[in-house]
Amino acid sequence: HIFSVIIICRMRKMPFEGMTLLDYAINAARVLLNIAMQKQDRAGLITFAQSTDIFIPADKKPAQLNLILESLYRQHTKFLEPDLEQLFSVIRNRISQRSLLVLFTNYETMESLQRDLPFFKRLSHYHLLMVVFFENTELQTLTESKPKNIEDIYIKTIAQKYMMEKKLMVKELHKLGIIAVLTTPQNLTVNTLNKYLELKNRQFI
């Protein structure tokens, strides 16, 4: 059983090449679940803000993909803080079989991730958890630019600090035995799918 779990309130509306982070997450979930069903896995979907917006149990019936697609394209960013305790309760009560949970979210600081680590740790006790979040491509551009004055040097240093924090987040998740995928929005679909296929080939699922 494979679930795409999208924390929609963490998907900022800031556009990347004309699309929001939520748009990228939706496209990645669509491709991932389509391939999963082609490989005879059962695909399901959860979208969550302060409460569960959508819960589609994992299945591989012919109409499943259309149901998932119709549900995905009704989603839009919500500026709410997610109630992860409620999400944990929904997953524990409604997903009885150990499953792969591909959780699409985003974090900009280590502090924000650390607040959610207890939730991830509890969830990974029952399921194989993959947390997918985004590199900030604007920061990447700043770190690669040549500073022209003191202010530019300061801005570049801050950008490098935040880029390093993202890499530390991956290490922190790995320490807990949680799979972490840090990716640019443009490479989200490919990197998520490749990680799923890797897990499949290694017989983790």
Side-chain angles (χ1 to χ4, degrees), residues 96-108:
S96 57
Q97 180 172 326
R98 183 171 176 83
S99 305
L100 170 62
L101 306 181
V102 182
L103 192 147
F104 296 91
T105 185
N106 199 41
Y107 295 99
E108 292 299 335

Side-chain angles (χ1 to χ4, degrees), residues 43-188:
L45 174 69
I46 303 172
T47 67
F48 193 88
Q50 278 190 317
S51 60
T52 305
D53 291 310
I54 294 171
F55 183 95
I56 299 177
D59 208 321
K60 56 180 179 180
K61 60 189 178 185
Q64 183 76 348
L65 188 59
N66 282 339
L67 176 61
I68 288 170
L69 293 180
E70 289 171 5
S71 301
L72 279 172
Y73 290 123
R74 291 200 303 267
Q75 299 306 295
H76 58 275
T77 304
K78 297 181 180 178
F79 299 99
L80 303 167
E81 190 62 25
D83 182 350
L84 296 181
E85 280 299 318
Q86 186 176 11
L87 177 57
F88 178 81
S89 178
V90 168
I91 291 172
R92 280 292 293 130
N93 291 328
R94 302 189 68 176
I95 305 178
S96 57
Q97 180 172 326
R98 183 171 176 83
S99 305
L100 170 62
L101 306 181
V102 182
L103 192 147
F104 296 91
T105 185
N106 199 41
Y107 295 99
E108 292 299 335
T109 65
M110 178 64 78
E111 182 182 5
S112 61
L113 172 67
Q114 287 174 335
R115 285 198 300 266
D116 291 350
L117 283 180
F119 162 74
F120 290 142
K121 188 174 181 179
R122 291 167 63 202
L123 204 57
S124 66
H125 180 73
Y126 300 99
H127 300 283
L128 181 60
L129 179 61
M130 181 196 305
V131 176
V132 184
F133 60 110
F134 295 93
E135 291 181 16
N136 190 318
T137 52
E138 293 177 351
L139 291 180
Q140 182 69 43
T141 301
L142 287 172
T143 61
E144 294 171 354
S145 65
K146 292 184 178 179
K148 298 176 181 178
N149 50 49
I150 300 266
E151 183 180 358
D152 287 350
I153 294 172
Y154 175 76
I155 291 172
K156 183 172 181 175
T157 301
I158 295 298
Q160 289 171 333
K161 173 183 177 294
Y162 279 107
M163 291 290 290
M164 183 58 68
E165 272 205 31
K166 291 275 189 175
K167 294 176 182 177
L168 290 174
M169 292 179 201
V170 172
K171 290 183 179 180
E172 197 68 26
L173 289 165
H174 284 169
K175 281 184 197 175
L176 297 175
I178 296 166
I179 302 158
V181 176
L182 175 62
T183 177
T184 63
Q186 294 88 340
N187 293 325
L188 173 64

